[in-house]
Amino acid sequence: MLHTVKETIKTVVYALLIAGVFRTFFFQPFWIPSGSMKDTLLIGDFLFVNKMAYGYSYASCPSIIIPRFGIDVDAEDFCGVFKGGNDRLFGSEPERGDVVVFRHPVTGRDFIKRLIGLPGDQIQLRNGVVFINGEAAAQNQDGFFIETMEHQGPEGLLPQCQNGAVGIGSDCQKERFIETLPNGVSHGILNIGRRALDNTGVFTVPEGQYFFMGDNRDNSSDSRVPQAARGVGFVPYEDIVGRADRIMFSSAGRSMLAFWTWRSDRYFKAIE
């Protein structure tokens, strides 16, 4: 009996070690909790973050956050000793247009946004159009993104709509555009209406840092708001976790166990 217990414990420990190594060095699972990246990423999308894409820093260490059990251990608790050099082991530069997971420079929570500004770039928004080093990123209208007005995900979030305050079960719509960045990367963005962040001053991205925005432009906390105002601000190179390449699974319900809400058309969908 004692031998069986020891073998069971040993198996569990080995499994945890293997999972820890896999999560630290290769791929980290990530659930999309909010609508800031619609319609590229929807609430309930499940993906793996490619940690090999940009090399490794302290942010590559796993975070273990389980509020139900009071567990809140993040990458800095594991590997904070390596923080501060703004460098990476086997590092490579992210490319403009990549969808990237990074640690919020203040809260330490994982965020996912699109990389818009590289070190040295000047970024500005004018009437919702992104200007990079004085040149407008082309936007071409692409109809509407339509979703049902309903509570989404475990937090029960309600979407924001361009067509006003609609009732539960009604169509919630937003204008959709295809934005093309200077390096030729094209992706969808959404517009709800006129917002304060549709027009900004000029942001000059510091060396070794990056500027990120959500594709759901009017419903995204991102680099347009400085850290002093509880925004993301500029993100240091070392705070990047990895690149999001492909959706593995997706659930539109409040729980992934609600199989009737699974979005089969999003399985293994490439992230563009």
Side-chain angles (χ1 to χ4, degrees):
M1 179 66 179
L2 182 59
H3 175 75
T4 302
V5 172
K6 286 183 178 179
E7 287 301 313
T8 300
I9 293 174
K10 187 187 298 185
T11 300
V12 171
V13 170
Y14 285 162
L16 290 174
L17 286 174
I18 292 170
V21 169
F22 183 84
R23 182 167 177 173
T24 299
F25 293 104
F26 300 108
F27 298 96
Q28 174 177 313
F30 190 87
W31 281 99
I32 302 301
S34 74
S36 69
M37 282 294 292
K38 290 178 180 177
D39 64 342
T40 304
L41 298 171
L42 304 180
I43 295 175
D45 282 349
F46 175 78
L47 51 88
F48 282 104
V49 181
N50 181 356
K51 290 190 170 184
M52 298 176 285
Y54 311 126
Y56 305 97
S57 72
Y58 86 96
S60 302
C61 288
S63 297
I64 304 174
I65 302 171
I66 311 176
R68 180 179 298 181
F69 299 104
I71 298 174
D72 188 351
V73 183
D74 68 22
E76 194 167 345
D77 295 319
F78 284 118
C79 299
V81 66
F82 300 111
K83 183 180 180 181
N86 201 30
D87 203 359
R88 308 182 73 84
L89 182 65
F90 309 123
S92 62
E93 297 292 329
E95 297 183 6
R96 196 191 315 275
D98 285 356
V99 176
V100 177
V101 173
F102 57 88
R103 282 171 52 82
H104 190 293
V106 176
T107 68
R109 292 296 190 243
D110 287 345
F111 269 43
I112 185 166
K113 306 289 180 184
R114 190 176 298 276
L115 176 55
I116 299 296
L118 303 174
D121 281 346
Q122 291 191 324
I123 309 295
Q124 185 180 27
L125 271 86
R126 305 178 197 167
N127 297 319
V129 177
V130 176
F131 283 74
I132 301 174
N133 299 320
E135 297 293 328
Q139 289 186 7
N140 295 308
Q141 192 159 15
D142 189 44
F144 291 88
F145 170 68
I146 299 174
E147 60 186 330
T148 302
M149 171 58 76
E150 61 186 354
H151 295 279
Q152 300 177 352
E155 297 181 16
L157 302 177
L158 287 172
Q160 296 185 35
C161 314
Q162 186 185 44
N163 54 327
V166 302
I168 297 294
S170 300
D171 283 348
C172 171
Q173 71 179 35
K174 306 172 185 64
E175 280 185 296
R176 188 176 192 270
F177 295 85
I178 300 297
E179 179 176 81
T180 302
L181 300 175
N183 60 345
V185 173
S186 294
H187 56 95
I189 61 171
L190 302 182
N191 176 55
I192 298 172
R194 292 184 180 180
R195 296 290 190 274
L197 291 177
D198 285 346
N199 292 279
T200 71
V202 176
F203 301 95
T204 301
V205 185
E207 192 64 32
Q209 301 192 46
Y210 296 88
F211 188 97
F212 291 92
M213 293 178 64
D215 290 348
N216 191 1
R217 292 284 162 81
D218 294 332
N219 189 26
S220 175
S221 173
D222 50 41
S223 293
R224 290 172 290 177
V225 179
Q227 295 165 17
R230 303 177 67 84
V232 172
F234 301 120
V235 177
Y237 184 43
E238 68 175 350
D239 284 347
I240 290 175
V241 176
R243 186 181 64 218
D245 292 331
R246 191 172 296 273
I247 299 164
M248 305 304 293
F249 172 82
S250 185
S251 173
R254 303 290 295 273
S255 168
M256 72 174 185
L257 299 178
F259 63 87
W260 57 90
T261 67
W262 293 352
R263 306 180 181 109
S264 58
D265 61 322
R266 297 184 68 78
Y267 296 173
F268 309 111
K269 180 181 173 67
I271 297 171
E272 299 176 349

